[in-house]
Amino acid sequence: MTAFAALHVPGSPLLLPNVWDFGAAAFLAAQGFPALGTTSLGVSAAEGEPDGAPSSKDATVRLARRLTELDTLISVDLADGFSEDPGEVGALAAELAKAGVAGINLEDALGDPVGHAAKIAAAKERAPGLFVNARTDTHWLGEPDIDTAIDRCLSYVDAGADGVFVPGLAAPADVERLVEAVGVPVNLLFLPGKVTVDGLAGLGVARVSLGSLPYRMALAATLRTVEAVRDGGELPLTPPSYADVAALLPGSH
């Protein structure tokens, strides 16, 4: 079992913050988080590209390579793998594994589950030590149906997935059904007001991702800061100092 896989403990889930640039990742790594993920929305937005589009692949890989310099384990959100060709997805997985990445996310976007399973199999064949988290979008893009989610997840586990991810799933009874059915670590997305980490832990979840939430909160904090300065109000948060951030960057030591 890899160090990253060992962090996925049912009932004591890994809280995985998701980042969009080196600075945010370095700041969180310095706080002692054992693992970080990337967010496709944040990375794509930073590049001015559509979320998860093939045009964001280079930025995703470039960021992933930089993040492996940090003292934390890195999982990379690859959207749908940036290709419909399992061979290309497998080659990308191998490239990232060689660079030191610990895990990847591959999402089905409610497309053909057979084709998605082929991508997962190719990734595991080319990078056996990489933790492949197989995402199904039944509860994110479609009409929520736990039976369909379980069926898709089981086909991805059969293809070699190390864990499954069902963003949008929150109903406790359905979470318990998924955890019992799949036999691998279950990853859910933190949904403010709908779930808590403790609540998901009690249902046997092994990983809780923050997704694009930190990026979107950063946008909200930016706006609140500008408004506070404009209106003569108090800053909404106390930021790290310039020197604190500069000290996190390569070449500063």
Side-chain angles (χ1 to χ4, degrees):
M1 179 182 290
T2 65
F4 186 60
L7 294 174
H8 295 70
V9 180
S12 182
L14 166 67
L15 178 64
L16 190 73
N18 296 82
V19 299
W20 58 95
D21 68 2
F22 183 89
F27 184 69
L28 288 171
Q31 315 309 310
F33 287 95
L36 302 172
T38 64
T39 161
S40 66
L41 177 63
V43 174
S44 297
E47 291 291 311
E49 300 289 350
D51 182 21
S55 54
S56 66
K57 174 184 174 181
D58 289 347
T60 299
V61 173
R62 185 168 62 249
L63 176 61
R65 288 182 174 277
R66 293 303 307 272
L67 296 187
T68 59
E69 300 171 12
L70 298 170
D71 186 21
T72 188
L73 299 168
I74 300 298
S75 181
V76 181
D77 184 354
L78 293 184
D80 64 355
F82 304 115
S83 174
E84 291 305 310
D85 180 354
E88 292 183 358
V89 176
L92 178 57
E95 177 184 353
L96 292 173
K98 185 177 180 180
V101 167
I104 59 172
N105 270 12
L106 287 173
E107 64 190 56
D108 65 11
L110 282 187
D112 174 25
V114 175
H116 195 62
K119 295 181 185 181
I120 293 165
K124 289 302 293 184
E125 180 180 0
R126 293 292 304 275
L130 199 64
F131 190 104
V132 176
N133 200 38
R135 167 175 160 171
T136 184
D137 286 303
T138 53
H139 289 64
W140 195 249
L141 299 177
E143 291 294 326
D145 182 84
I146 190 58
D147 292 317
T148 301
I150 289 173
D151 287 345
R152 282 180 174 255
C153 286
L154 286 174
S155 69
Y156 303 155
V157 172
D158 287 343
D162 301 285
V164 295
F165 183 24
V166 188
L169 177 61
D174 288 346
V175 174
E176 287 185 314
R177 282 190 60 194
L178 178 67
V179 168
E180 182 177 354
V182 296
V184 297
V186 169
N187 179 196
L188 293 184
L189 183 68
F190 177 74
L191 301 170
K194 293 185 178 181
V195 301
T196 64
V197 173
D198 285 347
L200 293 177
L203 299 172
V205 171
R207 172 166 150 188
V208 179
S209 296
L210 295 186
S212 65
L213 180 61
Y215 175 73
R216 292 182 288 112
M217 289 297 293
L219 295 182
T222 299
L223 177 59
R224 287 285 304 277
T225 299
V226 173
E227 290 175 337
V229 172
R230 179 193 66 194
D231 300 336
E234 295 292 327
L235 293 179
L237 297 167
T238 301
S241 71
Y242 177 95
D244 288 339
V245 175
L248 297 172
L249 303 179
S252 60
H253 301 293

